[in-house]
Amino acid sequence: MAKVKDVLAALDNLTNGRCLKGPGDWAGGQNPWVVTKSSNIPGKAVVEMPGLVWGDPEMEVKKIAVCMTMTESVIELAAATGVNAIVAHHPIADSANSGGVLIKYYLGIYNLACFELHEAFHGTHPGIPWLHGHRPFFSSVCYDGIPGNIVYVGDVIPEIKTVGDMISRLDTLMNAQMDEDMLALERKTRGCDAIEETAVAARAKILVGKPENPMKKVIHMFPHCGFTPAHLERLVKEYPDVDTLMATISRVYPGHPLVAKAEELGLNFVCGNSHALEIFENGVPMARALKNHLPDCEVVIFRERQTSVPLDCFGSQEIRDYGTDIAKEYLHRK
Ligand SMILES: [Fe+2]
Ligand SMILES: [Fe+2]
């Protein structure tokens, strides 16, 4: 029977030893994957601690859930379905990732261990360029000296001839039609056509260019990492035969300076997978690797599915009345 410590050993092995093995590993800055994430908002920073965040190393683990972000829904689903260990990709902050209450109490009552593996997992595999149909010949994780400003320049794979081919590839890989169907079903079942869902609302799309435009060489960047129009200009000077700019994880919207710059430089500009699909990009390989390391454990994937519902459509008529009454009686408008 696998134990919590074996899950840690597996995560450490699949990242080539990047996880924390004990206090001695993070003390004195020994582990470069222990990083502080801060926007300089007081008290809101988080320190990434790749490996075991909470749990008894000797506890037995029969079932592991892989998720992107630990939330109260994740914790409740884990407890209700016999999961012993949650492996989250995004860093875990006490209370923020445990429904506003302390991890030690909440995970304690459910006998759950939790792990995080974020920056230490990034860069371990070439899956994201592959999914987006190119093979990078240049890559940087700190373009222009900005840590985390990840940029790839790649040749598209032979199957892709046009921008439309790339979008179709992604739609097939991501099962985009199924998400469309699920949303249509949900709208119908709940009787509300205005429900929106992330995978559908933020699916792959072309910002500049036409589906039939040829696509051979691509600059692939992540707008939330600090990529600017000046970076684009410089890269196009270095690689003049680039024809396409691609944004994934995050994206920009019409009116953004990167759109104008792509137009000026005569590039196609496409948005690939949004962050909501990272569970496919990084979650699936991580889950499969865990299963390879711990074949006796059951491994499940927790996929977040975020919907937007107009207030007047939300819940049952009774719950809408409840909301109306409570707001009127107790939540006074000043
Ligand atoms: Fe990630
Ligand atoms: Fe992410």
Side-chain angles (χ1 to χ4, degrees):
M1 173 74 69
K3 293 182 170 178
V4 166
K5 64 183 181 187
D6 300 317
V7 179
L8 175 59
L11 294 174
D12 193 46
N13 181 276
L14 69 91
T15 57
N16 247 326
R18 292 177 176 181
C19 288
L20 287 167
K21 269 69 87 177
D25 198 15
W26 54 262
Q30 304 260 339
N31 186 320
W33 304 99
V34 175
V35 283
T36 303
K37 294 292 176 72
S38 179
S39 302
N40 293 321
I41 305 165
K44 299 299 182 188
V46 70
V47 181
E48 293 197 5
M49 307 274 279
L52 181 60
V53 174
W54 175 259
D56 174 4
E58 296 298 329
M59 188 180 81
E60 289 186 344
V61 176
K62 286 193 188 121
K63 188 169 177 181
I64 299 168
V66 170
C67 68
M68 281 289 113
T69 304
M70 194 170 87
T71 64
E72 63 277 22
S73 294
V74 165
I75 293 166
E76 288 298 322
L77 183 57
T81 56
V83 167
N84 312 108
I86 296 167
V87 179
H89 178 52
H90 297 140
I92 294 170
D94 206 348
S95 204
N97 293 101
S98 48
V101 297
L102 298 188
I103 284 173
K104 67 175 177 177
Y105 295 141
Y106 203 177
L107 270 61
I109 55 166
Y110 289 157
N111 285 320
L112 279 167
C114 70
F115 296 83
E116 67 182 41
L117 192 65
H118 187 231
E119 300 297 1
F121 187 75
H122 288 157
T124 55
H125 68 88
I128 292 170
W130 182 84
L131 290 168
H132 289 86
H134 70 89
R135 289 198 186 90
F137 55 83
F138 167 84
S139 68
S140 171
V141 293
C142 54
Y143 191 72
D144 199 26
I146 300 166
N149 189 17
I150 302 165
V151 173
Y152 301 112
V153 185
D155 291 311
V156 302
I157 56 175
E159 305 89 285
I160 292 178
K161 311 278 184 227
T162 66
V163 174
D165 292 344
M166 198 285 294
I167 301 275
S168 304
R169 170 187 175 83
L170 214 47
D171 281 350
T172 304
L173 284 163
M174 296 300 137
N175 230 342
Q177 188 56 50
M178 191 176 282
D179 283 328
E180 297 268 4
D181 295 346
M182 290 288 292
L183 178 57
L185 210 59
E186 178 161 11
R187 284 175 173 171
K188 189 164 172 262
T189 305
R190 296 193 189 278
C192 176
D193 283 341
I195 297 175
E196 304 279 4
E197 188 271 319
T198 324
V200 175
R203 69 184 285 180
K205 71 176 288 190
I206 302 171
L207 283 177
V208 179
K210 294 199 175 81
E212 60 271 25
N213 285 5
M215 181 171 171
K216 286 194 174 127
K217 217 169 266 260
V218 60
I219 294 170
H220 183 168
M221 54 83 194
F222 306 83
H224 62 291
C225 295
F227 192 84
T228 66
H231 295 149
L232 178 58
E233 206 156 49
R234 202 168 101 192
L235 279 162
V236 169
K237 271 202 189 101
E238 283 169 56
Y239 305 101
D241 44 353
V242 161
D243 50 45
T244 302
L245 176 65
M246 183 153 59
T248 80
I249 292 278
S250 62
R251 56 182 57 193
V252 300
Y253 287 88
H256 190 277
L258 276 171
V259 176
K261 185 53 77 180
E263 270 168 352
E264 180 193 318
L265 296 169
L267 302 174
N268 307 302
F269 191 175
V270 291
C271 300
N273 282 346
S274 85
H275 211 157
L277 299 177
E278 195 187 4
I279 191 70
F280 294 98
E281 299 177 327
N282 280 325
V284 173
M286 187 156 78
R288 181 55 64 189
L290 274 169
K291 183 69 185 168
N292 287 343
H293 281 76
L294 304 164
D296 295 336
C297 284
E298 185 183 349
V299 179
V300 291
I301 293 182
F302 282 9
R303 181 183 177 187
E304 186 180 316
R305 187 170 175 277
Q306 193 70 46
T307 54
S308 157
V309 184
L311 178 57
D312 290 337
C313 284
F314 194 75
S316 61
Q317 186 55 53
E318 290 78 3
I319 214 72
R320 292 195 286 271
D321 294 344
Y322 155 84
T324 304
D325 294 345
I326 292 282
K328 187 170 158 232
E329 290 298 321
Y330 299 98
L331 309 172
H332 300 293
R333 191 173 161 189
K334 297 282 184 292

